Amino acid sequence: MEDFARFLLEKRGWKTTRKPLFSWTGAPRELRDQYTSVTLQHAIAHWRVGDGEVSR
């Protein structure tokens, strides 16, 4: 059974996963005072269901 699982993984070309890199965290520091997390959440929700326009 283990050999079959390895075969399937190799067949699909799946590679072992590695830990995600979070080097992007804190990147938009200059926008920190301009937007709050709640403002961004509302904007994202509007983009998903609205016309893509976001008013501030």
Side-chain angles (χ1 to χ4, degrees):
M1 184 62 116
E2 194 173 316
D3 290 334
F4 182 65
R6 273 199 199 102
F7 165 76
L8 290 177
L9 288 172
E10 288 173 11
K11 181 179 174 185
R12 290 209 174 224
W14 289 358
K15 297 179 181 169
T16 57
T17 57
R18 58 186 173 155
K19 286 187 170 184
L21 301 176
F22 291 108
S23 58
W24 54 268
T25 56
R29 291 182 193 272
E30 65 277 359
L31 302 176
R32 184 179 294 166
D33 296 331
Q34 194 173 2
Y35 301 100
T36 66
S37 61
V38 174
T39 305
L40 294 174
Q41 289 171 6
H42 285 279
I44 291 167
H46 183 72
W47 290 338
R48 287 182 179 168
V49 297
D51 58 2
E53 296 295 321
V54 177
S55 59
R56 290 174 43 197

